[in-house]
Amino acid sequence: RWLGSFDTDEYLVPMGDFKSMGEVADELDETGVKVAVFKSSPAKPRLSLLENPSETEKSDGTFTPTVPADETFLHTYNCNWEQFPRKNDLSHRRKQMYRADYVKLHYVHYSTITVVSQMAEKETIAAKESWLHRYVERHVHEFDEKNEATMLHTKTKVAKNTIMWKTRCRQSSPLSEGHCHVGFPFPSSGDSTKDTKDSQGWGYNCFINDRIEQYWWPKLVEAIASRQNR
């Protein structure tokens, strides 16, 4: 019923009481949604879960953020610069899942042709859809990241992302995707407006998604172990 085109570093995460994306899709069907949109912004790898920077450090001070063999990208990169549910993202990075019987042509981030968009005016009105000369999709829904679903984008950070990281990551600066690309999560019990640095002077710059940390990551670890034991 539903399709989507996602990269291997993009994790679809059911939120709220949902236990699978299938359950999420069932609810979308009940409300008449045809296209569902995930917000997206690259997450930061937590320094505490990466291999020791000294293992790959170069003469210019940069290093290659490396996820250890016994860790997962889902866990390591579970640190977004904006707290969930997020208010800011870049529309060109968004991804969609969509009804296969409704979207006729899809291009990476956008539903370019749908059943309704290809109708002429009389057909649209006969189908009891809204007609506009400039088409506007009426059956699209942006996911509620707290109660429905979210997407964690674990885009790999490379050496060039760590230029001057030891200086930048100790500076107090507005929360953003850039500046310091290595993650130092705010304490779950802390106040992001008051607590700005940890005991070692690293500036807090990202937030952990508790649903991923407490529910989905353990399930992933369990699934990996089960497969290895086959």
Side-chain angles (χ1 to χ4, degrees), residues 9 15 40 50 86 90 100 102 128 162 181 185 202 220 227:
D9 62 3
M15 296 291 287
S40 178
L50 292 171
R86 296 170 291 186
L90 297 176
Y102 180 74
K128 297 182 179 180
T162 64
H181 290 276
W202 299 113
L220 175 60
R227 175 168 292 188

Side-chain angles (χ1 to χ4, degrees), residues 4 21 30 32 34 42-43 74 78 82-83 98-99 102 104 127 130 141 145 158 175 186-187 189 210 225:
M21 288 307 300
E30 291 177 4
K34 306 295 185 184
L74 179 66
N78 181 22
E82 187 175 18
Q83 197 163 20
Y98 53 90
R99 285 281 310 196
Y102 180 74
K104 298 302 181 181
S130 300
H141 170 73
E145 292 195 303
V158 295
L175 294 177
F186 282 92
S189 60
D210 291 332

Side-chain angles (χ1 to χ4, degrees), residues 47 52-54 57-58 60-63 161-171 179-180 182 184 200-203:
L47 181 67
N52 193 314
S54 63
E57 190 171 24
K58 299 179 181 179
D60 61 1
T62 63
F63 76 99
N161 296 130
T162 64
I163 295 173
M164 296 181 64
W165 74 279
K166 290 181 180 179
T167 298
R168 291 179 174 178
C169 295
R170 292 182 186 277
Q171 295 174 338
H179 194 69
C180 173
V182 182
F184 298 92
Q200 296 180 316
W202 299 113

Side-chain angles (χ1 to χ4, degrees), residues 44-46 49-50 67-68 71-79:
K44 299 175 186 286
R46 289 182 268 178
L49 298 177
L50 292 171
V67 177
E71 255 300 349
T72 64
F73 273 74
L74 179 66
H75 188 214
T76 304
Y77 278 79
N78 181 22
C79 212

Side-chain angles (χ1 to χ4, degrees), residues 17-68:
D17 296 326
F18 291 107
K19 298 297 190 298
S20 72
M21 288 307 300
E23 291 182 2
V24 175
D26 288 341
E27 180 164 288
L28 295 176
D29 283 335
E30 291 177 4
T31 57
V33 173
K34 306 295 185 184
V35 180
V37 180
F38 295 91
K39 288 184 176 180
S40 178
S41 59
K44 299 175 186 286
R46 289 182 268 178
L47 181 67
S48 61
L49 298 177
L50 292 171
E51 288 187 357
N52 193 314
S54 63
E55 296 293 325
T56 57
E57 190 171 24
K58 299 179 181 179
S59 59
D60 61 1
T62 63
F63 76 99
T64 301
T66 305
V67 177

